[in-house]
Amino acid sequence: MASLALLYNVRMLGLFMVLPLLALYAVDFQGATPALIGVALGAYGLTQACLQIPFGWLSDRIGRKPVIVGGLLIFAIGSVVAAFAESIYGIIAGRALQGAGAIASSVMALVADLTSQEQRTKAMAVVGASIGLAFAVALVLGPLIAGFGGLEAVFGVTAALALTGIVVVLWQVPDPPRNGMLHAEVGARPRLFQASLRNPALLRLDVGIFALHFVLMASFQIVPGALESVVGISREDHWQVYLPAVLLSVVGIVPLMRLAERGGRHHLVFLIAIAVLMVALTLLGLASIPWLFCAALWLFFVGFNYMEAVLPSMVSKAVSPDAKGTALGIFSTAQFLGIFAGGVAGGWVLQNYGIVGITELCLVVVAVWMLVVMRIPAAERAALGGASS
């Protein structure tokens, strides 16, 4: 599990490092506009969403490791293309190629292959925790690396991380057993896929992860610029704001979790976390005082990190064990579609309507999400409590 968590960590680290940088550095590339920068941010999510399920199917047919190694190679090639790009279109092509290395479902399937039923939940939690760690580290490393070598250096490091991931797969991750059961599972997938799409609880969770990553990609098209214009920090020093904001988000997350456990208030806390995101997004778009903007960024990470931890566990609790893989595959697809839509829509709105427009867009998306959560039936709220715990 340590080796698989390391694999997931190095891959996600390479992806997240671009998030706080692209809106600042891509403006210097030929043909760059806010709308095209948004496409560059979101292109990764589109190819991920399109190829996640096919790569998972292929891993059932030819094995997990060949697919994971191939996906990491594609990701590395995309990073090199972006590193040598001279126009925004080259960045878009590189980002799309990065996303074409869609190995998330294959990695999670490998986790399932290498663990017993009793230990699988713990293993998934270890891998999930590595994603949160990668997010925090990337927000620090990205600005530091870009300060030395610009966006080209960041993409170069992401390529090196992908190659490191290949080394981990080939020499650290054990080979999964071949027990002849995979093809039978593949035959059952159409039925499980249809059942998951008809499950109202899962569809609500899919809406949630879509909205969460939509606002992440859209809001980070204005956050880096605001750190320069509002807070007055040079771009290579942005990590000095990101690091404490992410680390101190734990101070806000722990009370939310404790409140959720008291008297089964999981649904209430879920709504509070969404409300926290709405307040944070409003302040990020409108704050003109440095300390208020930093407080808004901290609130954003409180709401985002809480939801990022709770939503996947809710998916695994809402379905039977034989349908978890399919449900998580659809859930991941919704997440990557949110990344794509947030990047593209956010860039277009920013170009045509400015910061206020992108703030209003994010608030509308989160408000729709809140309405969906408010309509959860009582029986489903009980399941929400079990998942949150």
Side-chain angles (χ1 to χ4, degrees):
M1 285 310 96
S3 60
L4 284 171
L6 177 61
L7 167 63
Y8 222 96
N9 198 294
V10 296
R11 176 175 169 272
M12 298 308 292
L13 184 62
L15 292 172
F16 285 139
M17 281 198 297
V18 179
L19 182 60
L21 302 173
L22 209 55
L24 291 175
Y25 288 85
V27 295
D28 298 327
F29 285 78
Q30 180 182 350
T33 65
L36 288 176
I37 292 173
V39 173
L41 269 173
Y44 165 82
L46 179 61
T47 47
Q48 276 280 320
C50 291
L51 296 175
Q52 201 66 235
I53 293 175
F55 268 47
W57 175 86
L58 185 62
S59 75
D60 287 332
R61 294 292 182 178
I62 69 173
R64 312 295 186 203
K65 283 191 171 185
V67 170
I68 293 172
V69 170
L72 288 170
L73 279 173
I74 295 172
F75 179 83
I77 293 170
S79 301
V80 172
V81 169
F84 286 96
E86 297 181 354
S87 71
I88 189 63
Y89 299 102
I91 297 289
I92 292 172
R95 289 282 291 167
L97 265 176
Q98 282 184 320
I103 61 169
S105 60
S106 301
V107 172
M108 298 311 287
L110 184 56
V111 172
D113 292 342
L114 294 173
T115 55
S116 64
Q117 184 69 34
E118 295 76 16
Q119 297 298 321
R120 196 159 298 155
T121 300
K122 294 179 182 178
M124 296 289 186
V126 170
V127 176
S130 73
I131 299 174
L133 177 62
F135 183 68
V137 174
L139 291 177
V140 176
L141 280 183
L144 285 173
I145 295 172
F148 285 103
L151 204 56
E152 299 87 344
V154 175
F155 282 120
V157 170
T158 62
L161 287 171
L163 297 178
T164 301
I166 292 175
V167 173
V168 172
V169 172
L170 295 178
W171 280 280
Q172 293 296 321
V173 177
D175 292 320
R178 302 290 295 182
N179 54 19
M181 294 298 293
L182 292 176
H183 297 293
E185 293 172 2
V186 171
R189 275 190 181 172
R191 174 180 55 81
L192 296 174
F193 188 80
Q194 293 173 7
S196 296
L197 290 178
R198 294 186 184 128
N199 187 325
L202 289 177
L203 289 177
R204 291 187 183 95
L205 296 173
D206 294 338
V207 169
I209 197 66
F210 176 92
L212 186 65
H213 284 266
F214 182 103
V215 299
L216 175 68
M217 301 306 289
S219 61
F220 263 81
Q221 295 184 54
I222 61 174
V223 166
L227 283 175
E228 286 188 330
S229 60
V230 176
V231 184
I233 296 180
S234 59
R235 58 183 63 180
E236 61 270 15
D237 294 327
H238 284 187
W239 66 271
Q240 297 177 9
V241 176
Y242 289 132
L243 180 60
V246 172
L247 294 180
L248 291 175
S249 66
V250 177
V251 177
I253 292 171
V254 170
L256 287 176
M257 290 183 171
R258 288 181 177 175
L259 179 61
E261 294 300 325
R262 292 177 183 173
R265 298 173 180 171
H266 305 281
H267 183 253
L268 173 62
V269 173
F270 201 78
L271 290 172
I272 291 174
I274 297 177
V276 167
L277 280 174
M278 294 184 74
V279 172
L281 290 166
T282 302
L283 292 176
L284 287 174
L286 302 178
S288 58
I289 304 173
W291 71 264
L292 186 59
F293 183 88
C294 293
L297 192 62
W298 171 75
L299 277 177
F300 179 85
F301 285 128
V302 169
F304 178 85
N305 289 336
Y306 179 82
M307 289 298 187
E308 189 80 345
V310 169
L311 284 170
S313 65
M314 291 168 60
V315 174
S316 64
K317 295 288 185 179
V319 295
S320 58
D322 63 331
K324 282 185 180 181
T326 302
L328 286 168
I330 297 172
F331 180 80
S332 296
T333 301
Q335 173 184 341
F336 292 121
L337 285 175
I339 290 172
F340 169 69
V344 174
W348 183 85
V349 169
L350 180 62
Q351 178 170 312
N352 291 279
Y353 300 100
I355 294 176
V356 173
I358 206 168
T359 301
E360 292 174 348
L361 172 66
C362 290
L363 288 174
V364 168
V365 171
V366 177
V368 170
W369 181 17
M370 177 171 280
L371 289 175
V372 170
V373 174
M374 290 176 68
R375 295 175 63 85
I376 292 179
E380 198 174 311
R381 296 182 186 184
L384 171 64
S388 299
S389 61

